[in-house]
Amino acid sequence: MKADYSSELGVIAPTGFFDPFGLSKDIDAETFAQYREAEIKHGRVAQLAVIGYIVPEVYKFPGEIAPGLKFADIPNGVAAIDKIPSLGWAQMFFLIGAVDYYGFFKFEEIGVPDLAPEELETRKLQELQHGRLAMLAVLELLRHDSQNFIKPGFDGLDDMITGLPFLYGK
């Protein structure tokens, strides 16, 4: 059964109902719910990715990531891809797989605060908005860092977080 999703939570001005590829056309409510759950999960992961991208700019863990390789020796961003040992990548791969498989980022009613219905809807909308912004932010961080990795100083800026120069002792 087809449904109209143009009044669902997340439809906000100025874009309104944004579905440029027509993914919601001719789908049932169950499929739409799966798409929404995926959007929320990806938004949560993107929020963690943005934090994970920015924190190493200001803090490095003490100690070693592997025998003989200190956390401080790992560069930030895409430059770290070649520096992390293959067993480290395997650990990350399996941890992420376990988190996804066991559903730590699912959109469930467990843990939902006891709020008035209007406030709960506002919070859910805010989570969607924050997740959407984080998905765009992590893409821009990767784009900027990748371009700077290939051609250092392409934009005349050497630091990732240019708006906070005190982070780099300037």
Side-chain angles (χ1 to χ4, degrees):
M1 180 176 173
K2 299 177 195 174
D4 178 28
Y5 302 108
S6 61
S7 61
E8 287 289 326
L9 184 70
V11 178
I12 54 175
T15 56
F17 183 65
F18 186 72
D19 186 13
F21 298 114
L23 297 175
S24 66
K25 183 179 179 184
D26 299 329
I27 63 169
D28 59 8
E30 183 179 332
T31 304
F32 184 80
Q34 288 175 334
Y35 287 172
R36 179 51 53 91
E37 184 176 325
E39 179 183 15
I40 290 169
K41 180 168 59 170
H42 287 100
R44 290 174 179 175
V45 169
Q47 290 175 62
L48 291 172
V50 169
I51 295 297
Y53 219 97
I54 292 173
V55 167
E57 293 286 324
V58 292
Y59 178 78
K60 295 276 190 176
F61 286 108
E64 296 182 338
I65 190 170
L69 181 60
K70 295 180 180 180
F71 281 105
D73 296 337
I74 302 290
N76 297 341
V78 295
I81 292 172
D82 293 338
K83 304 295 183 202
I84 296 176
S86 57
L87 286 177
W89 284 111
Q91 287 175 345
M92 286 186 268
F93 178 79
F94 285 111
L95 175 67
I96 292 167
V99 166
D100 190 46
Y101 181 78
Y102 293 110
F104 292 118
F105 288 109
K106 284 190 176 181
F107 189 63
E108 298 175 355
E109 296 301 319
I110 299 171
V112 174
D114 186 23
L115 299 171
E118 303 84 29
E119 178 67 19
L120 187 58
E121 287 298 307
T122 300
R123 297 276 181 99
K124 287 181 178 182
L125 177 61
Q126 289 171 343
E127 181 178 20
L128 276 170
Q129 290 173 314
H130 293 164
R132 290 169 179 171
L133 180 60
M135 286 186 263
L136 293 172
V138 76
L139 287 174
E140 174 52 24
L141 285 168
L142 286 168
R143 185 216 54 88
H144 182 271
D145 195 25
S146 298
Q147 194 165 354
N148 230 1
F149 184 68
I150 293 169
K151 185 178 178 188
F154 78 96
D155 57 0
L157 305 170
D158 294 331
D159 303 323
M160 176 61 73
I161 308 171
T162 58
L164 304 171
F166 65 87
L167 295 176
Y168 305 102
K170 295 178 183 177

